[in-house]
Structure formats: C-alpha cells, structure tokens
Amino acid sequence: MVRPPERECTGRMEPGEDLVVVGCIGQQGTKALVRACRDQLTPWFSGSYIQEIADSREPDVQAYRELFTALGATEAEAAGEGGILKAIWDLSSAYRVGVTFQLRRIPVRQQTIEVCERCGCNPYRLWCGNCLVLVAENGGRIVEACQERGILAAVIGSVKEGIAKEIHHGEEVGYLERPREDELCRLLGRAALNDF
C-alpha cells in the first residue's frame, strides 16, 4: 500500500489557539446521497424538500482564506473526503499537537442530519466540500466576519499540549480515532466521489 505524502506545515498550530470550523459539514455528501438515494428518501421527505437539498448553495469559504489570515488564522485545512473528523485528525497530526473540541458546536444543517439518519451514515465522516478547519488566536473574530457574510462558523475547541484528540459530546469525553473510509464511499462505492 502506498502511503499518502505527509501534509506540509506552512503555518502555525500552538496550544491555546482556537479551532474554528467555517462552513457546514457534509453538504456535498448530502447532495450526493439525495441524488443516489432519492427513492429511499421519498417515503420520508417531500419531493420539494429533496429538491431544495439538491439545489442548495453555500458561499464559497475558500474565497475568504486571505480574510481569515488577516483576522489571525495561522493554519487551515479543507474538509473534504472523510469529513470534518478526518480534517481535524490530519491537521493536528501534521503539527503533532493535541486538540479538544465539542462535537455539538460543529456547524451542520438539519437536512444533513436527517438525510444521514435515513441513509445510515455519520455526518461527521461524510464528504464536506465547502468547509474549513482553521486555527486562530482569536477565533471569535473569524466567526463574526463569517456571520456578516452569511457563512455559518463556530469556535469548536482549542489546540492543547500533547497529542490526544479529545471529543466532547455532552457530558461524555472520547478520543478521535484514525480516519475511516468516507461514508459516501462506504454506502455508494468509490465512484461516488468522481463528481467532486
């Protein structure tokens, strides 16, 4: 098996900095599931709701990278295949630092949760497409700038000493596992990613 090249560290990721998620997770994967599983979803959702999901558009978060840097972002990782959890894993592993974050703070649309529930998949491991994980000294400034532009964003946690990757889900604390296969691939096969 060929190992993928290690991620190049071009910025900074230090304990005490905020972890910020910009954009909603699982959007591209949700659209792909709606296209591929329409018959499975029609008993649960109206045709107009399914079409609304298929046609939904989000502001391009990649277009604001320079703004995020100007507002104090020291590093960024695009969330794509493998979802938001893979992006967090890749970023913290590249810098060999730990993270702690609240799962419930990650921006996700209700339609993504509903579609994933009906298709039997995890929205946090689903193809994102238009989503970034940022590291910043003051993530609140980035969140405010995103809100002004109609982009969902949230400070979800912080960078910490060590290498542990803590996930907080309500009162429960767990640890992020190594990335798994993207949920879209698991459900629909590797060819499902060809549209992206």
Side-chain angles (χ1 to χ4, degrees):
M1 184 168 119
V2 177
R3 290 183 62 185
E6 288 193 26
R7 182 192 189 282
E8 186 177 341
C9 298
T10 57
R12 185 180 82 233
M13 187 171 182
E14 297 177 355
E17 290 187 297
D18 291 335
L19 277 181
V20 181
V21 173
V22 175
C24 287
I25 64 164
Q27 291 295 98
Q28 294 299 329
T30 303
K31 287 181 180 186
L33 287 171
V34 163
R35 285 194 306 265
C37 305
R38 185 178 283 267
D39 292 343
Q40 180 182 340
L41 296 171
T42 51
W44 302 100
F45 307 119
S46 70
S48 61
Y49 184 61
I50 291 172
Q51 195 59 48
E52 178 185 321
I53 296 169
D55 294 341
S56 65
R57 299 277 183 262
E58 299 283 324
D60 180 12
V61 300
Q62 298 285 351
Y64 295 100
R65 276 189 181 241
E66 286 183 20
L67 172 64
F68 300 147
T69 300
L71 292 172
T74 59
E75 186 57 280
E77 179 79 15
E81 182 179 347
I84 193 68
L85 296 182
K86 182 180 184 301
I88 293 169
W89 175 277
D90 289 348
L91 187 58
S92 61
S93 294
Y95 281 89
R96 294 177 175 83
V97 294
V99 292
T100 181
F101 64 96
Q102 295 281 341
L103 198 65
R104 291 183 181 164
R105 289 187 188 165
I106 295 173
V108 58
R109 295 212 182 276
Q110 184 62 31
Q111 62 194 27
T112 295
I113 292 170
E114 292 170 354
V115 169
C116 285
E117 184 177 297
R118 292 296 166 201
C119 292
C121 66
N122 182 338
Y124 301 99
R125 296 190 187 284
L126 181 63
W127 184 279
C128 289
N130 189 31
C131 183
L132 293 171
V133 179
L134 303 176
V135 178
E137 292 176 11
N138 181 349
R141 292 176 60 201
I142 293 171
V143 171
E144 285 177 17
C146 287
Q147 289 171 344
E148 290 170 4
R149 289 159 178 81
I151 300 169
L152 287 178
V155 175
I156 64 162
S158 60
V159 182
K160 63 179 210 154
E161 297 282 351
I163 59 169
K165 299 163 181 56
E166 291 181 356
I167 304 175
H168 296 262
H169 192 293
E171 298 297 315
E172 297 178 24
V173 179
Y175 293 91
L176 189 57
E177 300 171 355
R178 287 190 175 279
R180 297 182 196 162
E181 181 179 38
D182 188 282
E183 291 287 77
L184 206 55
C185 294
R186 183 179 66 79
L187 290 173
L188 306 177
R190 187 105 198 120
L193 297 181
N194 291 342
D195 292 339
F196 306 105

